[in-house]
Amino acid sequence: MDLRFKEIPQMNEIIKLFDYPKHTVKEISNEIIEKYRQKILTTDESFSKDDIINDIEKALLDHSSYSLVNTINATGVILHTNLGRAVLSKNAIDRIIDIAKSYSNLEYNIDKGKRGSRYTHLVDTIKKITNCEDAIIVNNNAAAVFLILNTFCKDKDVIISRGELVEIGDSFRISEIMKQSGANLIEVGATNRTHLIDYENAITEDTSAIIKVHTSNYKIMGFSEEVLANELKDITDEKNLYLFEDLGSGSLIDYSEYGLSYERTVQKCIEDGVDLVSFSCDKMIGASQGGIICGKKELIAKIKKNQLLRAFRVGKLTLAAVEATLISYLDEKNAKKEIPTARMISLSKDEIKEKADKLYNMLNDIKGIDIKIEESRSKVGGGAYPIDTLYSLSIAIYDKDLDKLEKHLRLSKYHIISTVHDDKLYLDVRTIFEDEFEKIKEVLIDYYE
Ligand SMILES: *Cc1c(COP(=O)(O)O)cnc(C)c1O
């Protein structure tokens, strides 16, 4: 018999060595031991019992490491859905930590000394920003849309334009979510054109609402027509119907001065007299996952009575993050300084150039690296501004094996996510934070030197 078999430890012996659950130790040890058995059968390599035990220990450590980890977003896509959408502001992060650290008044009315409601916390701030009568927050915008329709349109007709049957990421269709709410969707118009008369003709006694859905991740151009909420308002008023709007990304700032096209803001929806408008908290707002509904006070009151609200409610950490983020919007200048999403969108050309020069100079010292600063186009992402791009600059890396380089960056301990095209690897500086430059350098030194 090959003497190396003697080095393979007994399972009982291994289990005693580690404090992990037995089934985990067994499973992992069996895998490692199998590798050593194969080694004996196919090679002359020598090893000791300690080598095997060390390998098991390493595998156990790997096994207990985090699954959700930080990445460096060098793609230039600001709200990268796969990379966690919005990065929180420092205020939001500090508030999460503060609120998490001790008890809070989540559902306690401090003035009265009795039970309060978690839904009171954001209302004043949202009112100040948007001039709405009332607001409520739920787990995400999909839940917000569902809850609106379930509360007001169950077993009734809701009119929607065929041009607005949006499919968001991972093949989720807003219209399917709407149907699940119990509302009966009445599609009107053609994909490219819907007229006021189409809505008017579809109204029957069973109609309860008209809903406008922001097309988010696509745009219908060319021979196209849509009816805006303010035009629909006259009909819904006359026929006593609700007018709802799913704004999707829901910006609180008009970014048209930064090279993006004009998008309706939440404020504009309220000004137009929409009864309820809903939007995501982790898209253009730049906070954590959540969905806000704002509009008429009596309608929000009805939503609060819907039993399903409980299934969609947010936790205190979400409230902490969203409240802190919204407070920045009380002064638009603060929002653009403090909220990373707003900051990245509003970076000037000079600021982009400064970032690119700085990263270039840091990386250009690396022996054997071949880089240039090249113009690139950043995207907002997250299903917002589907056709607009923003001027940006990238560090373009020339390398004989770009796939290997891309993989090295991605699998490094900082998980740098880059893009490869036109025979270069690109690091778009718009979405890279300056405190990540040093990390990128470290990983590239490891590759080249
Ligand atoms: C993104 C989006 C949603 C879903 O929002 P989540 O917060 O991701 O649930 C719904 N409607 C539209 C139009 C969207 O763009």
Side-chain angles (χ1 to χ4, degrees):
M1 188 182 90
D2 193 316
L3 283 173
R4 289 178 296 172
F5 277 114
K6 289 213 162 132
E7 296 300 318
I8 294 181
Q10 294 296 310
M11 192 56 80
N12 290 344
E13 197 183 332
I14 301 172
I15 286 170
K16 275 192 215 128
L17 289 174
F18 300 103
D19 285 335
Y20 289 81
K22 260 188 213 161
H23 66 271
T24 309
V25 178
K26 270 191 194 162
E27 186 185 313
I28 287 186
S29 305
N30 279 333
E31 275 171 35
I32 304 281
I33 288 169
E34 183 52 33
K35 270 188 211 151
Y36 278 93
R37 287 222 168 88
Q38 287 305 318
K39 215 177 246 183
I40 296 171
L41 298 174
T42 56
T43 71
D44 297 330
E45 220 177 293
S46 64
F47 53 81
S48 70
K49 192 182 267 187
D50 281 350
D51 292 331
I52 302 178
I53 301 282
N54 283 341
D55 278 6
I56 293 171
E57 185 172 16
K58 237 197 278 163
L60 280 168
L61 282 172
D62 272 352
H63 184 79
S64 59
S65 60
Y66 294 112
S67 162
L68 184 61
V69 293
N70 295 101
T71 60
I72 292 177
N73 177 6
T75 66
V77 180
I78 297 169
L79 293 166
H80 199 303
T81 297
N82 301 151
L83 302 182
R85 286 196 186 158
V87 172
L88 298 191
S89 69
K90 180 167 183 311
N91 295 345
I93 295 162
D94 289 348
R95 283 312 290 160
I96 291 176
I97 294 170
D98 271 354
I99 292 299
K101 267 200 300 217
S102 78
Y103 294 100
S104 64
N105 65 339
L106 177 66
E107 286 191 347
Y108 185 76
N109 184 322
I110 292 174
D111 291 337
K112 295 187 177 153
K114 56 182 194 187
R115 189 189 173 97
S117 159
R118 72 180 60 215
Y119 297 112
T120 57
H121 299 296
L122 299 172
V123 176
D124 284 343
T125 314
I126 298 176
K127 276 191 194 168
K128 282 182 203 153
I129 300 166
T130 68
N131 204 25
C132 65
E133 291 177 12
D134 203 357
I136 192 161
I137 181 170
V138 290
N139 239 326
N140 54 29
N141 185 35
V145 175
F146 180 95
L147 206 52
I148 291 173
L149 295 181
N150 183 265
T151 307
F152 301 101
C153 309
K154 193 156 185 278
D155 302 322
K156 296 187 194 130
D157 290 356
V158 178
I159 304 173
I160 183 170
S161 160
R162 288 205 173 83
E164 297 172 7
L165 298 170
V166 186
E167 176 171 308
I168 49 176
D170 219 7
S171 74
F172 277 100
R173 294 190 173 148
I174 298 295
S175 55
E176 287 303 318
I177 296 169
M178 290 177 173
K179 283 180 201 159
Q180 298 271 341
S181 74
N184 187 20
L185 282 198
I186 305 293
E187 298 170 11
V188 297
T191 306
N192 56 333
R193 283 163 75 90
T194 303
H195 310 276
L196 201 56
I197 190 86
D198 295 320
Y199 286 99
E200 281 173 328
N201 286 343
I203 296 172
T204 69
E205 351 185 286
D206 297 326
T207 310
S208 65
I210 293 179
I211 188 162
K212 285 282 297 170
V213 177
H214 194 283
T215 57
S216 301
N217 47 15
Y218 65 97
K219 228 178 181 93
I220 296 172
M221 292 186 301
F223 190 58
S224 65
E225 185 164 321
E226 77 168 308
V227 187
L228 296 174
N230 57 329
E231 302 168 86
L232 290 169
K233 176 77 180 144
D234 292 338
I235 323 179
T236 53
D237 277 354
E238 188 196 318
K239 305 273 184 187
N240 218 0
L241 304 175
Y242 297 116
L243 178 59
F244 299 137
E245 190 157 352
D246 168 10
L247 208 51
S249 307
S251 186
L252 294 167
I253 294 178
D254 169 14
Y255 288 103
S256 48
E257 66 178 293
Y258 300 101
L260 294 174
S261 36
Y262 170 76
E263 284 283 357
R264 276 168 80 66
T265 57
V266 179
Q267 294 91 319
K268 185 74 174 68
C269 296
I270 297 295
E271 196 185 311
D272 284 347
V274 170
D275 292 309
L276 292 174
V277 54
S278 75
F279 51 95
S280 286
C281 296
D282 57 348
K283 292 184 182 172
M284 294 299 281
I285 303 294
S288 57
Q289 184 188 303
I292 290 175
I293 304 171
C294 55
K296 302 271 157 65
K297 191 169 182 67
E298 54 182 311
L299 302 194
I300 298 287
K302 282 199 179 132
I303 288 177
K304 284 185 185 158
K305 294 209 180 90
N306 188 332
Q307 289 290 309
L308 275 174
L309 177 62
R310 177 65 185 239
F312 298 139
R313 76 176 192 179
V314 290
K316 60 186 176 183
L317 303 186
T318 300
L319 285 167
V322 175
E323 183 179 29
T325 309
L326 288 176
I327 283 174
S328 294
Y329 282 101
L330 291 172
D331 181 344
E332 207 174 286
K333 278 198 301 295
N334 288 342
K336 288 177 195 164
K337 256 201 322 251
E338 295 168 357
I339 303 170
T341 304
R343 167 107 190 95
M344 284 180 194
I345 293 173
S346 53
L347 280 175
S348 69
K349 275 192 173 184
D350 286 345
E351 287 170 314
I352 293 275
K353 177 148 182 3
E354 218 173 279
K355 272 180 103 174
D357 285 342
K358 186 170 171 195
L359 183 58
Y360 176 88
N361 289 329
M362 283 171 70
L363 300 184
N364 206 34
D365 291 343
I366 299 170
K367 275 194 238 56
I369 202 168
D370 182 6
I371 57 174
K372 263 202 193 102
I373 296 178
E374 282 191 21
E375 196 177 316
S376 55
R377 305 299 302 183
S378 294
K379 297 202 64 150
V380 175
Y385 302 91
I387 50 176
D388 292 350
T389 56
L390 295 163
Y391 165 90
S392 192
L393 293 172
S394 285
I395 305 300
I397 307 181
Y398 296 72
D399 191 274
K400 58 182 191 310
D401 192 345
L402 290 168
D403 288 344
K404 186 171 160 213
L405 176 60
E406 185 277 332
K407 201 169 160 194
H408 177 84
L409 290 166
R410 178 161 45 85
L411 298 182
S412 70
K413 67 177 167 182
Y414 302 121
H415 307 296
I416 303 158
I417 313 301
S418 61
T419 49
V420 173
H421 54 89
D422 300 328
D423 298 327
K424 280 160 268 179
L425 182 141
Y426 287 90
L427 305 170
D428 189 318
V429 298
R430 185 183 288 269
T431 51
I432 306 174
F433 296 99
E434 292 208 16
D435 62 6
E436 294 170 336
F437 287 1
E438 204 52 63
K439 295 175 178 169
I440 293 175
K441 181 173 181 175
E442 183 187 328
V443 172
L444 285 169
I445 285 176
D446 186 43
Y447 185 80
Y448 283 106
E449 295 189 354

